[in-house]
């Protein structure tokens, strides 16, 4: 059993790497891993002024399995309150990933199932290798993937969600790319690291406050009709941005033909 279910390293430049670290149980979600994840994610939110980007990856050959079989038997005897408490903690992980002000990049180098797929869907950018395999297998075992559903439907659309969540058919990285669950499929580990470095470079080239505001605004407007209320909301958001310090610095740097201060 791993000493720490989730590892986190933050580089001097401000890049945080979260690693799921329970390979003996295929990095499946259990209360200890979930608690560790929530703690690390809360740390990242609290340190958003120094951490510019977040990578989530996994130790071992599996990104995340359906269930931790050391823990699963205990859930058969859960009371309603215990089941709800467990679900609430997992839901917090997914919502915290989505609500982090920093861009979150998932690196998937092996099979993913269960809540790990919800975690992937909640990330902003997803990179994978051909070794990645995906399956929404919950219904095969009598489970409902309720906590992951909002993120999965947003990522792949309701039509594909109906097909893959109800039939529980596995699919590969190429199909995950076609569906929109994965953004880049690298041919091997070397190309994967190069693609990751490419995205990280661009994350660090962007103004952190503008990134955070854009992430938040995307969530606020997704699915809403483009009516007067929405137009007023985005106009107000644009006004707040243009009168802020980052926009002023960006304009000054452009005029002076220099790099803005967030790239130094």
């Amino acid at each position: 059993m791993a000493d720490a279910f989730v590892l986190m390293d933050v580089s001097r430049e401000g890049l945080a790497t979260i690693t799921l670290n329970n390979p003996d149980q295929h990095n499946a979600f259990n209360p200890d891993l979930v608690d560790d994840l929530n703690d690390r994610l809360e740390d990242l939110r609290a340190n958003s002024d120094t951490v510019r980007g977040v990578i989530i990856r996994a130790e071992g050959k599996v990104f995340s399995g359906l269930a931790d079989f050391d823990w699963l038997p205990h859930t058969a005897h859960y009371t309603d309150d215990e089941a709800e408490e467990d679900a609430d903690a997992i839901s917090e992980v997914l919502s915290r990933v989505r609500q982090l002000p920093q861009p979150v990049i998932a690196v998937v180098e092996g099979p993913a199932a269960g809540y790990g797929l919800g975690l992937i869907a909640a990330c902003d950018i997803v990179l994978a290798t051909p070794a990645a395999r995906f399956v929404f297998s919950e219904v095969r075992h009598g489970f409902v993937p309720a906590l992951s559903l909002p993120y999965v439907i947003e990522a792949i659309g309701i039509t594909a969600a109906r097909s893959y969540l109800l039939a529980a058919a596995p699919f590969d990285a190429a199909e995950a790319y076609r569906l929109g669950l994965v953004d880049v499929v690298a041919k091997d580990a070397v190309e994967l690291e190069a693609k990751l470095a490419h995205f990280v470079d661009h994350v660090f080239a962007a103004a952190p406050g503008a990134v955070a505001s854009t992430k938040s605004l995307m969530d606020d407007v997704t699915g809403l009709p483009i009516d007067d209320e929405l137009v007023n909301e985005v106009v107000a958001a644009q006004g707040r941005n243009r009168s802020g310090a980052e926009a002023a610095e960006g304009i000054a740097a452009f005029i002076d033909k220099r790099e803005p201060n967030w790239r130094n």
Side-chain angles (χ1 to χ4, degrees):
M1 186 66 68
D3 292 331
F5 288 89
V6 176
L7 306 176
M8 187 168 77
D9 174 74
V10 181
S11 73
R12 291 175 60 184
E13 295 76 20
L15 178 65
T17 300
I18 289 176
T19 304
L20 308 183
N21 188 44
N22 189 18
D24 291 343
Q25 290 293 336
H26 296 162
N27 299 308
F29 280 35
N30 65 31
D32 294 313
L33 186 144
V34 168
D35 286 347
D36 281 0
L37 263 177
N38 272 319
D39 288 345
R40 300 292 79 76
L41 293 167
E42 187 57 33
D43 288 345
L44 290 172
R45 174 170 286 280
N47 291 283
S48 60
D49 56 336
T50 56
V51 177
R52 298 278 298 277
V54 179
I55 298 168
I56 299 179
R57 57 197 319 167
E59 183 68 28
K61 296 181 179 180
V62 177
F63 182 85
S64 186
L66 176 63
D68 182 326
F69 291 99
D70 285 344
W71 164 65
L72 189 61
H74 299 289
T75 67
H77 308 290
Y78 269 5
T79 65
D80 288 347
D81 287 345
E82 288 172 328
E84 186 171 339
E85 182 179 349
D86 185 60
D88 185 63
I90 295 169
S91 181
E92 279 290 314
V93 166
L94 303 183
S95 64
R96 279 180 167 151
V97 168
R98 171 52 60 85
Q99 293 170 16
L100 279 178
Q102 305 95 333
V104 184
I105 305 172
V107 178
V108 187
E109 300 174 81
Y115 297 121
L117 269 172
L119 180 65
I120 291 167
C123 291
D124 301 304
I125 301 165
V126 181
L127 313 182
T129 66
R133 295 290 187 274
F134 307 87
V135 61
F136 299 100
S137 58
E138 286 90 341
V139 294
R140 291 184 186 177
H141 306 281
F143 305 143
V144 176
L147 305 180
S148 301
L149 267 179
Y151 306 97
V152 171
I153 291 172
E154 183 182 70
I156 70 175
I158 187 60
T159 300
R162 287 184 184 279
S163 173
Y164 281 103
L165 273 74
L166 300 181
F171 54 101
D172 62 13
E175 178 67 357
Y177 174 78
R178 187 188 73 82
L179 294 173
L181 183 65
V182 167
D183 298 295
V184 173
V185 180
K187 65 183 179 181
D188 53 31
V190 173
E191 185 177 69
L192 178 73
E193 295 305 321
K195 295 290 187 183
L196 178 58
H198 166 82
F199 278 103
V200 169
D201 286 345
H202 283 279
V203 165
F204 276 80
V211 168
S213 295
T214 300
K215 281 192 65 171
S216 178
L217 189 60
M218 283 193 290
D219 282 338
D220 289 344
V221 306
T222 297
L224 296 180
I226 303 177
D227 55 16
D228 289 345
E229 183 178 355
L230 180 58
V231 169
N232 290 336
E233 181 177 349
V234 297
V235 166
Q238 182 77 2
R240 289 191 298 270
N241 167 247
R242 288 302 298 270
S243 63
E246 276 189 348
E249 169 63 10
I251 292 169
F254 184 82
I255 293 171
D256 296 341
K257 297 181 180 180
R258 60 173 174 81
E259 293 286 2
N261 57 22
W262 54 79
R263 296 184 196 170
N264 298 328

